[in-house]
Amino acid sequence: MHQKILILDFGSQVTQLIARRIREAHVFCEVHPCDVTDEWLRAYARDGSLKGIILSGSHASVYEDTTDKAPKAVFELGIPVLGICYGMQAMAHQLGGVVQGGHKREFGHADVQAHGHTRLLDGIQDYVSEGQSMLQVWMSHGDKVTELPHGFTLMASTPSCPIAGMADETRHFYGVQFHPEVTHTKRGAAILERFVLDICNTRPDWIMGDYITEAVAKIRAQVGTDEVILGLSGGVDSSVAAALIHRAIGDQLTCVFVDHGLLRLNEGDMVMDMFVGKLHAKVVRVDAEAQFLGHLAGVAEPEAKRKIIGREFVEVFKAEAAKLRADQSRHVEWLAQGTIYPDVIESGGGKGKKAVTIKSHHNVGGLPEQLGLKLLEPLRELFKDEVRELGVALGLPFHMVYRHPFPGPGLGVRILGEVKKEYADLLRRADAIFIEELRNFIDEESGKSWYDLTSQAFTVFLPVKSVGVMGDGRTYDYVVALRAVQTSDFMTADWAELPYALLKKVSGRIINEVRGINRVTYDVSSKPPATIEWE
């Protein structure tokens, strides 16, 4: 049995980043809604495996009657508690302190002075100023604690937030107004590790190799003798899900590969070669290009396109399930999907359903009742890096597992506005050139290709035309944008500073080799405020 940390989610967009940081320390953790009952929490802790609780951030204000509070049992179990941002404010408010609306909102980088050398921050610093330990952190708050609860001492401060951290060392209660879970807080991982490993004294035994045994057993118990169909896109998530489920139940799994006309160049053939030729899995390839493009005709709004693509996936699965069920000897009862945590977060679909929706994902939210299949999502609580680590442990090829992410709706959300076959064909060729050159261009300092140095790179088709000159003639052709980002968690990302020589070569090749495109641009937006995908 894994020792564990419980994260109570108040609705922050970055709650699961807390979980990711804890798992990086090889400690098991789970995220549950903040409004669980005292009875539920006491039962959750009854077996002794719960070693600590973390209260997440939120967009709300704790002093409003309608906002969520932490269960009273959080502070009565006798285990360490860490409050982050709103979580610190909730701790202060519920334990007798005072929280008020701030006159000055803090959003972005801040320098925090550590006080008192508490166990949480002792020895953790970025620099020393006038003899004081300083931390470079990320703030995102308007409200602030103005009076400490009884038993707490000051742990950190900024000029505009005098109580930026507080601690009750006797009860092992800690609160920080900043966000240690985001990469912008330079020593954030060290702070969370200090809390989880040293203060909570949790055993670091969350390892992907061991997880396979647990996941296989869970899938077998869940599925029994039933059969499963899986929507195989060829991306990392669905591929790892397929390999894991195939490890668990073998020929009880049938993969349905939907070629919807929105895949990358030659991707359909590569998927079939990998899963049929090398993994010997059962794969049904469905040519659904006409079906998808037909329903997308005339539709330009991104959410509408995503919902159409998701709906048509369901229609294809219904049809394929019906074919399998026509065989009376088969018992197809499950649809498997490669849903992972970031999908759930950005759809506002965390367990607490409290996060603000950014965009919907076609493989999140369960299946329509008319599909008649139960949902199997073995990767739903894993982050992308954990999925990749799992894939390697399952024996999948490194180059496939560490392939850049590809959205479920495919090129449908990389073609701005209406989706047309002409646009998809142009984009496929341009994108293939970009990826090929990223793989070929080696960074001299690191010795790595720029494909490996970027976390996600792709081309976006812009449905506008611009004037150009080729030879002695005038052209009036389409524009594409190159997008490449670097990130450790896909929750925040910086645009990649690709070498000019690389951009020049990619641009030249696309304009010369892809007839119909005469202008190439490069996207220099980071996340936030932009998202990684354009739609």
Side-chain angles (χ1 to χ4, degrees):
M1 177 176 62
H2 292 288
Q3 295 179 340
K4 60 194 177 189
I5 299 294
L6 171 64
I7 302 165
L8 291 181
D9 180 19
F10 287 88
S12 169
Q13 291 289 345
V14 294
T15 294
Q16 274 72 28
L17 276 185
I18 305 170
R20 184 181 180 278
R21 300 289 176 248
I22 293 171
R23 291 181 187 181
E24 285 177 345
H26 301 292
V27 171
F28 181 68
C29 60
E30 290 186 334
V31 178
H32 286 273
C34 62
D35 54 4
V36 296
T37 65
D38 288 327
E39 292 75 17
W40 180 93
L41 184 54
R42 293 186 189 283
Y44 187 81
R46 192 166 294 143
D47 64 4
S49 63
L50 181 61
K51 305 294 286 183
I53 297 174
I54 297 178
L55 309 178
S56 85
S58 173
H59 54 277
S61 295
V62 298
Y63 46 77
E64 296 176 357
D65 292 338
T66 57
T67 54
D68 292 303
K69 308 296 187 291
K72 291 182 180 179
V74 166
F75 308 111
E76 299 170 350
L77 291 173
I79 60 176
V81 181
L82 172 64
I84 295 175
C85 195
Y86 179 96
M88 168 177 155
Q89 295 169 13
M91 179 186 292
H93 180 72
Q94 292 180 236
L95 296 180
V98 177
V99 179
Q100 296 178 336
H103 297 295
K104 181 180 179 182
R105 177 177 173 82
E106 278 192 303
F107 181 82
H109 292 282
D111 290 309
V112 169
Q113 180 182 336
H115 296 271
H117 301 292
T118 59
R119 190 176 177 192
L120 182 67
L121 299 182
D122 188 25
I124 298 176
Q125 62 188 32
D126 288 304
Y127 66 96
V128 176
S129 175
E130 298 180 354
Q132 301 297 320
S133 296
M134 303 295 293
L135 291 167
Q136 295 176 312
V137 305
W138 181 263
M139 290 279 198
S140 180
H141 70 100
D143 300 340
K144 58 185 178 183
V145 177
T146 56
E147 291 184 25
L148 291 169
H150 178 72
F152 281 79
T153 58
L154 182 65
M155 184 170 66
S157 65
T158 71
S160 60
C161 185
I163 303 177
M166 62 184 195
D168 181 336
E169 298 270 53
T170 302
R171 291 183 287 179
H172 306 299
F173 292 169
Y174 301 87
V176 291
Q177 188 58 66
F178 56 87
H179 288 269
E181 69 273 30
V182 301
T183 55
H184 301 79
T185 298
K186 293 186 177 181
R187 300 285 287 162
I191 293 169
L192 289 172
E193 285 188 15
R194 172 69 58 78
F195 177 74
V196 169
L197 296 177
D198 297 341
I199 296 173
C200 297
N201 196 30
T202 312
R203 185 172 57 244
D205 60 0
W206 175 249
I207 301 167
M208 279 299 106
D210 298 337
Y211 174 78
I212 293 174
T213 302
E214 299 174 20
V216 164
K218 183 177 179 180
I219 292 168
R220 287 173 179 168
Q222 189 174 1
V223 171
T225 59
D226 296 336
E227 293 197 33
V228 178
I229 59 173
L230 177 142
L232 181 62
S233 70
V236 175
D237 303 334
S238 66
S239 297
V240 174
L244 179 60
I245 297 170
H246 189 260
R247 171 79 65 91
I249 61 174
D251 285 346
Q252 290 171 248
L253 171 68
T254 299
C255 297
V256 178
F257 173 53
V258 181
D259 190 343
H260 48 31
L262 300 171
L263 298 171
R264 290 167 287 196
L265 191 66
N266 301 323
E267 188 163 20
D269 293 338
M270 289 189 289
V271 169
M272 296 301 292
D273 178 66
M274 174 60 65
F275 284 89
V276 177
K278 295 182 173 61
L279 298 183
H280 308 294
K282 294 192 296 186
V283 182
V284 176
R285 183 173 184 174
V286 182
D287 182 359
E289 180 182 60
Q291 177 180 340
F292 278 78
L293 294 183
H295 285 285
L296 288 167
V299 179
E301 204 277 320
E303 277 294 287
K305 291 194 295 185
R306 286 178 175 272
K307 292 183 185 304
I308 288 170
I309 293 170
R311 183 192 70 206
E312 294 311 307
F313 263 100
V314 170
E315 292 303 315
V316 171
F317 287 133
K318 284 172 64 176
E320 294 305 317
K323 293 176 186 176
L324 293 171
R325 282 174 160 175
D327 183 346
Q328 297 298 315
S329 65
R330 307 185 72 170
H331 303 282
V332 179
E333 300 291 339
W334 299 85
L335 174 66
Q337 294 184 155
T339 308
I340 66 172
Y341 246 165
D343 299 336
V344 178
I345 299 163
E346 292 197 341
S347 295
K351 291 180 179 178
K353 303 291 183 183
K354 297 179 182 297
V356 177
T357 299
I358 303 299
K359 60 186 178 182
S360 65
H361 289 256
H362 83 279
N363 62 342
V364 175
L367 294 168
E369 292 183 4
Q370 71 268 23
L371 192 60
L373 294 174
K374 292 172 283 189
L375 192 59
L376 179 64
E377 296 178 310
L379 309 181
R380 186 179 176 88
E381 307 239 333
L382 299 183
F383 289 94
K384 179 68 71 172
D385 57 334
E386 292 178 313
V387 172
R388 295 186 195 278
E389 188 178 348
L390 176 61
V392 171
L394 285 165
L396 293 177
F398 184 89
H399 68 84
M400 183 188 79
V401 172
Y402 281 86
R403 191 180 186 191
H404 287 182
F406 189 60
L411 300 182
V413 292
R414 292 180 177 175
I415 297 170
L416 302 194
E418 183 181 4
V419 178
K420 297 181 180 180
K421 178 173 171 50
E422 173 196 1
Y423 299 166
D425 289 341
L426 289 172
L427 179 55
R428 256 187 287 272
R429 294 167 59 199
D431 187 70
I433 290 171
F434 185 29
I435 299 304
E436 180 183 343
E437 291 303 331
L438 282 170
R439 291 188 184 278
N440 291 340
F441 205 96
I442 305 300
D443 175 64
E444 293 183 1
E445 183 177 342
S446 66
K448 295 181 179 180
S449 75
W450 271 97
Y451 184 86
D452 293 328
L453 291 173
T454 54
S455 307
Q456 189 167 357
F458 54 91
T459 309
V460 179
F461 182 88
L462 310 183
V464 295
K465 288 187 173 182
S466 70
V467 175
V469 177
M470 296 189 74
D472 294 325
R474 173 186 183 275
T475 63
Y476 189 58
D477 290 327
Y478 291 107
V479 182
V480 294
L482 308 178
R483 177 72 158 147
V485 299
Q486 294 173 315
T487 176
S488 61
D489 50 42
F490 289 87
M491 298 299 296
T492 61
D494 293 319
W495 60 275
E497 297 183 28
L498 298 182
Y500 289 157
L502 170 57
L503 291 171
K504 182 177 182 179
K505 186 169 185 181
V506 172
S507 175
R509 282 196 59 193
I510 290 175
I511 291 171
N512 283 299
E513 296 177 28
V514 184
R515 186 178 296 275
I517 296 173
N518 71 351
R519 193 175 297 272
V520 176
T521 65
Y522 187 52
D523 181 352
V524 292
S525 308
S526 292
K527 176 186 180 181
T531 53
I532 294 177
E533 297 286 348
W534 278 41
E535 289 191 342

